Amino acid sequence: MTIIANKCPDYKVTVVDISEEKINAWNSDKLPIFEPGLKERVLSARGKNLFFSTEIDRCIDEADIIFVSVNTPTKTFGEGAGKAVDLQFIEQTARRIKENSKSNKIVVEKSTLPVRAAETLKTILHSGNNSVQFEVLSNPEFMAEGTGISDMEDPDRILIGSMDTPSGIAARDILMDIYLHWVPGERLITTNLWSSEISKLVANAFLAQRVSSINSIASLCEVTEADVTEVSRAIGMDSRIGSRFLNAGPGFGGSCFRKDILNLVYLCEHYQLNEVAAFWEQVVSINDYQMERYVRRILQAMFNTLTGKKLAVFGFAFKPDTGDTRDAPAIYICKRLLDEKACLKITDPYALDNARKDLQGAEGKVDFIEDPCQAAEGAHGIALITEWSLYKQLDYQKIFDTMEKPAFIFDGRNHLDHQALYEIGFNVYPVGKPALTHL
Ligand code: UDX
């Protein structure tokens, strides 16, 4: 919405939320999320054509277009628990829009939803005796965290799904006008509503599938002395495969991949496409396996016991340049390391507040330390889980000198210079390539 406000000075954008705390933060100097480049863009539009408010009912009534961006988490209870999407926030929002609308509106699905959700949305909006007309569009968001600004300012594509009726097409054109302020026309794709809804799930499923594919090959590389980085390069240069999203790691995280694949699996099961469901579910299984494999590699390398050993955890966010830890592999990995009775010293430039919350209630010894060198002091090993660029710049000789010996480093992202670390004296365990050890 900030980018829309920046690029379309002729539109007034108001962001509303039920959380007063969040809205206050958006109106303050300390925004509630860290995203590179966002703050200056918020500041340049805020108070001019970008507003943050908790007056939801008034803002609904005033708006011509409403983007629904509420959370759609995985259901944790009842039918479909663990897979289906919890639609309660979408439904509550639809009811609130219906109750407070006195003029016709375009309602845009921004939240990721199961296919045919627009139908439900439309039914709720048009229920009762309100004469207001609502047109529902699907406009899924493909931006990734950490690169949100460039993804939004220079998107690969913008997807808009609409009903194939005169009013549906008219609404679609109104939304297209907004994006045409800065996105070249050929990058705007229009489809029917259901294709648009499904494309969002499928895009995330394909991306996650690439990560699971390369992670599965990483395990094969480790036992055959092949090098997964070399394999990624070799296959990625085939233009049919492409080079992106082929980095092996400790498993994918983030608020979307797992949730969206499980939603896809649930949908396939619902339509009795059991083989298709099993195919996609395997992407999640490999991810779980990859996180567990990372822990086992640490355990095996460190003589099959972690009891009382100090481990410095470098990075907790699910990826660099964000403080977001939703579904971060670090959560699972740290809990497992604590099960093994390791003592953890967790460091991350932006995610420590979230890390504290994520590990609340986990039994064991955990410290949260801003400075990575301090976190590594006296440690038996370093587990690098997030590839923050600052971890490349540390003085590893100095770090090594302060650590217990033999000193281990488990580079879960193949982020560091392994040969240099080995020469310093570390026992180095990368992902998907042979370990370099002095043992
Ligand atoms: C994703 C989609 O990319 C985006 O289009 C969608 O709108 C939201 O979900 P995001 O979750 O922000 O974005 O991050 P992304 O860059 O896709 O990374 C997801 C996870 O996969 C991270 O944990 C990342 O570390 C991991 N990953 C990614 C790998 O392990 N290897 C890779 O090669 C790429």
Side-chain angles (χ1 to χ4, degrees), residues 122 135 162-170:
K122 238 181 150 156
E135 200 57 52
S162 68
M163 296 296 280
D164 196 16
T165 56
S167 61
I169 289 168

Side-chain angles (χ1 to χ4, degrees), residues 376-433:
E377 220 175 280
H380 296 77
I382 296 172
L384 187 151
I385 305 183
T386 314
E387 69 277 35
W388 286 99
S389 61
L390 78 99
Y391 299 149
K392 272 188 195 280
Q393 287 138 29
L394 303 176
D395 183 342
Y396 283 93
Q397 179 65 59
K398 243 185 175 160
I399 289 177
F400 178 79
D401 293 342
T402 68
M403 287 176 68
E404 290 284 338
K405 308 293 170 336
F408 293 84
I409 191 152
F410 302 92
D411 184 356
R413 297 282 183 177
N414 292 335
H415 184 55
L416 306 175
D417 181 342
H418 300 149
Q419 190 58 36
L421 290 170
Y422 173 72
E423 281 162 21
I424 289 172
F426 280 102
N427 297 298
V428 187
Y429 290 78
V431 186
K433 38 182 116 191

Side-chain angles (χ1 to χ4, degrees), residues 226-397:
D227 177 329
V228 77
T229 309
E230 291 177 354
V231 175
S232 290
R233 183 156 172 262
I235 64 166
M237 281 175 78
D238 183 327
S239 59
R240 293 168 302 174
I241 296 175
S243 60
R244 296 177 68 190
F245 263 72
L246 287 180
N247 294 322
F252 57 73
S255 64
C256 294
F257 281 1
R258 175 180 296 266
K259 167 174 85 79
D260 290 355
I261 295 172
L262 292 175
N263 181 9
L264 186 65
V265 168
Y266 182 74
L267 280 168
C268 294
E269 284 170 351
H270 172 79
Y271 292 107
Q272 270 133 49
L273 301 167
N274 296 328
E275 286 76 5
V276 184
F279 175 77
W280 287 107
E281 196 157 21
Q282 195 57 22
V283 173
V284 176
S285 306
I286 286 286
N287 201 53
D288 294 341
Y289 170 70
Q290 186 71 0
M291 293 189 287
E292 179 59 25
R293 230 168 53 73
Y294 181 73
V295 174
R296 286 205 195 139
R297 205 158 192 228
I298 296 178
L299 185 61
Q300 278 162 15
M302 297 181 80
F303 318 112
N304 290 307
T305 174
L306 296 178
T307 307
K309 285 186 183 157
K310 290 184 210 117
L311 285 175
V313 176
F314 278 19
F316 202 91
F318 81 99
K319 64 190 268 193
D321 292 327
T322 175
D324 195 345
T325 61
R326 284 176 292 173
D327 211 21
I331 301 174
Y332 175 87
I333 291 167
C334 288
K335 285 185 176 165
R336 278 287 290 112
L337 294 171
L338 289 171
D339 285 347
E340 297 293 341
K341 303 202 183 307
C343 307
L344 303 184
K345 293 189 185 295
I346 299 174
T347 180
D348 189 290
Y350 283 97
L352 287 189
D353 286 345
N354 283 331
R356 267 187 208 100
K357 288 182 207 145
D358 294 329
L359 294 180
Q360 221 162 41
E363 271 183 40
K365 210 175 158 345
V366 195
D367 291 314
F368 300 90
I369 299 173
E370 296 265 304
D371 177 4
C373 299
Q374 212 181 317
E377 220 175 280
H380 296 77
I382 296 172
L384 187 151
I385 305 183
T386 314
E387 69 277 35
W388 286 99
S389 61
L390 78 99
Y391 299 149
K392 272 188 195 280
Q393 287 138 29
L394 303 176
D395 183 342
Y396 283 93
Q397 179 65 59

Side-chain angles (χ1 to χ4, degrees), residues 145-161:
E145 287 183 38
T147 52
I149 299 296
S150 58
D151 291 347
M152 201 49 201
E153 289 185 341
D154 184 24
D156 286 349
R157 80 311 205 179
I158 296 290
L159 175 58
I160 303 175

